[in-house]
Amino acid sequence: MDVVDLVGKGPATLVPLLREGSVSSRELTIATLDAIEREDARVNAVVELLADEAFDASTEADARIARGERGPLLGVPVAIKNDLDVAGRVTALGSRAVSRVATQDSELVQALLAAGAVPVATTTLPELAIYGFTESAARGITRNPHHLDRSSGGSSGGSAALVASGAIGVATASDGAGSIRIPAASCGLVGFKTTHGYLPGAGGWHGLSTQGCVTPTVRDTAVYLDAVGLGRAGALAHAASTTPRTLRIGVSTSTAAATRAEPLHRDVKAALDHVAGLLSDAGHEVVQVTVPYGLDAKALTVRYLAGIADAARGVDDQTLLEPRTQQIARLGRPFGPASVAWAQRAGLRFGATVHDRLGVDLLLTPVMSGPALPVGRFAGKGGLRTVLGMNAFYPYTAQWNHAGVPAVSLPVGRSRKKDLPLAVQLVARRDQDPLLMSVASQVESLLRAE
């Protein structure tokens, strides 16, 4: 296979080819950098190319492979969301207010380098990772490669746009309220939010946020998470190749919106019903449920707003923050340590009990109320209106950050108008990441077999 045909393939495909010498990391990296430059001109997803570092790392990877080394991501190009420190670069967090140069790599970047990955670029995000769309005063609009007038989602919108464009096969992503799953759903990718604490670098926004990735397939995601995660080596990749036991799966369209959620788009509902039917046909018991979003679930707002207030205080020049960000940060200032601790306990209670209260092993829900939003949907809106508007369109994701449980966004066909990606979400109990990966792989296989 020509190296150009391998650009955009995920680690599950690339690792074996690199190990056997079918392609060198150096030539794959060069082709990937070329593809990133080409696609970035369309989607505006790159903060910086890391060309010099990539050339050095890929040359070293080829030497290590020649010596017989077998790092789990050895030689694989990876794009890094610009919320992770890369030594010698500014971790700008999508903001003009941050100017400090990182003095060392973040814990997750260190894990990637130890696994043999080749960082090739840093990717865009909205300011301080707050928003479910990647549009900022610092970097402009990151666009959806499937339709340039649509959002790539947020906050991992740059990572999703690059992977969905076929310019690279894996990019880091983080998720504090849906920021892996929303871009994955918007761009037709797999976005897996692990149990909190599974990956290095988790814990932002008072424990709401966790690190992860966006990739083309479930197995690509499993290989990546196994390579840098804190679980048993190979556990998720093994799960992705294993048929799950018969499960009781609850289908729910109930929402956790602060006001009124936007109506569920008929194409999203059809995708949800389709996956429910596939799971039923595969032998699972599929039932309709209503998730009990009581006070414990709603306490996530305290952690979200307090986390944003803390992040805003930590920038280099608060006067350079976008006015909307400053407004949202002010909403979080009244919440002190006692309020945050109360909210964290509430999240743990909600996550520990919700599946048992419903009598299900997994939940099947939408990710978003519709396909990817038009760019500029929230342009000119103030902080509170933006938060409430996002919550109305994205009412299916943040509660699972609050609960600390694993959840995955899976692509399921395309919308009838605009031909935009559709997606569904699966949610498991805490620490049942392998089970969730197994079911996600089963759904992916059933969809491909159609």
Side-chain angles (χ1 to χ4, degrees):
M1 185 180 293
D2 189 273
V3 65
V4 173
D5 297 324
L6 294 175
V7 172
K9 300 295 185 184
T13 297
L14 294 178
V15 168
L17 294 175
L18 287 160
R19 286 180 178 176
E20 68 190 26
S22 297
V23 65
S24 73
S25 179
R26 175 83 173 188
E27 61 183 338
L28 179 60
T29 296
I30 291 171
T32 299
L33 288 167
D34 289 344
I36 289 173
E37 284 194 289
R38 180 181 65 249
E39 293 302 324
D40 185 51
R42 296 176 60 237
V43 300
N44 186 36
V46 174
V47 176
E48 289 185 280
L49 281 178
L50 306 177
D52 290 342
E53 295 96 324
F55 291 146
D56 291 344
S58 61
T59 300
E60 175 62 21
D62 286 332
R64 291 172 61 186
I65 291 169
R67 294 195 296 267
E69 294 188 33
R70 292 293 181 265
L73 294 176
L74 188 53
V76 175
V78 175
I80 297 175
K81 182 178 175 180
N82 196 218
D83 66 343
L84 290 171
D85 286 347
V86 175
R89 305 283 178 164
V90 176
T91 312
L93 299 171
S95 180
R96 298 169 299 180
V98 180
S99 57
R100 285 168 294 187
V101 175
T103 58
Q104 62 182 20
D105 294 326
S106 67
E107 188 179 2
L108 183 58
V109 171
Q110 291 177 38
L112 281 167
L113 295 175
V118 178
V120 294
T122 56
T123 64
T124 55
L125 65 155
E127 188 163 56
L128 306 187
I130 295 171
Y131 305 106
F133 50 91
T134 301
E135 303 169 23
S136 70
R139 305 303 309 180
I141 296 169
T142 297
R143 298 180 182 273
N144 192 318
H146 296 282
H147 196 299
L148 295 179
D149 288 336
R150 295 282 168 155
S151 174
S152 63
S155 66
S156 306
S159 289
L162 270 193
V163 175
S165 73
I168 197 165
V170 61
T172 75
S174 56
D175 193 316
S179 290
I180 291 172
R181 290 158 290 156
I182 289 167
S186 298
C187 294
L189 303 172
V190 175
F192 195 109
K193 182 191 78 67
T194 62
T195 294
H196 288 209
Y198 194 91
L199 262 69
W205 287 357
H206 302 290
L208 287 179
S209 184
T210 187
Q211 289 290 332
C213 64
V214 285
T215 73
T217 74
V218 171
R219 185 162 182 82
D220 289 322
T221 292
V223 169
Y224 173 91
L225 294 176
D226 278 341
V228 297
L230 304 175
R232 182 168 55 85
L236 296 181
H238 174 74
S241 62
T242 304
T243 302
R245 59 183 171 84
T246 300
L247 301 168
R248 194 165 193 261
I249 298 173
V251 182
S252 179
T253 57
S254 52
T255 63
T259 54
R260 180 176 295 180
E262 289 196 19
L264 189 63
H265 192 285
R266 62 179 183 177
D267 290 347
V268 176
K269 181 61 164 62
L272 188 71
D273 291 343
H274 183 57
V275 172
L278 290 175
L279 289 166
S280 180
D281 291 344
H284 300 291
E285 181 185 1
V286 178
V287 297
Q288 297 290 323
V289 299
T290 299
V291 179
Y293 294 127
L295 180 61
D296 279 352
K298 293 175 181 178
L300 75 90
T301 303
V302 173
R303 299 167 74 183
Y304 172 71
L305 293 177
I308 291 170
D310 289 347
R313 281 191 286 264
V315 301
D316 298 316
D317 186 346
Q318 294 182 34
T319 66
L320 295 178
L321 289 169
E322 297 170 23
R324 173 165 53 192
T325 298
Q326 294 184 39
Q327 292 163 11
I328 297 173
R330 283 197 290 271
L331 295 175
R333 288 175 189 165
F335 299 119
S339 297
V340 169
W342 167 81
Q344 289 172 321
R345 291 193 298 271
L348 287 174
R349 283 195 302 268
F350 173 62
T353 60
V354 61
H355 290 80
D356 290 339
R357 290 173 67 183
L358 295 169
V360 298
D361 299 300
L362 293 179
L363 287 166
L364 172 65
T365 79
V367 182
M368 313 186 297
S369 294
L373 286 171
V375 297
R377 167 71 177 271
F378 297 99
K381 290 183 169 60
L384 182 59
R385 288 183 65 195
T386 298
V387 169
L388 293 176
M390 289 193 302
N391 187 228
F393 188 76
Y394 303 125
Y396 302 101
T397 56
Q399 56 269 41
W400 309 120
N401 296 79
H402 183 52
V405 300
V408 60
S409 173
L410 296 172
V412 186
R414 316 277 287 208
S415 66
R416 284 173 284 185
K417 289 184 179 180
K418 301 289 188 182
D419 195 35
L420 292 166
L422 301 170
V424 299
Q425 177 176 231
L426 289 164
V427 184
R429 288 181 174 87
R430 185 175 182 88
D431 296 322
Q432 290 195 341
D433 303 71
L435 176 65
L436 184 61
M437 190 69 73
S438 180
V439 178
S441 182
Q442 183 180 43
V443 171
E444 183 180 68
S445 297
L446 292 169
L447 289 166
R448 285 179 176 173
E450 291 183 315

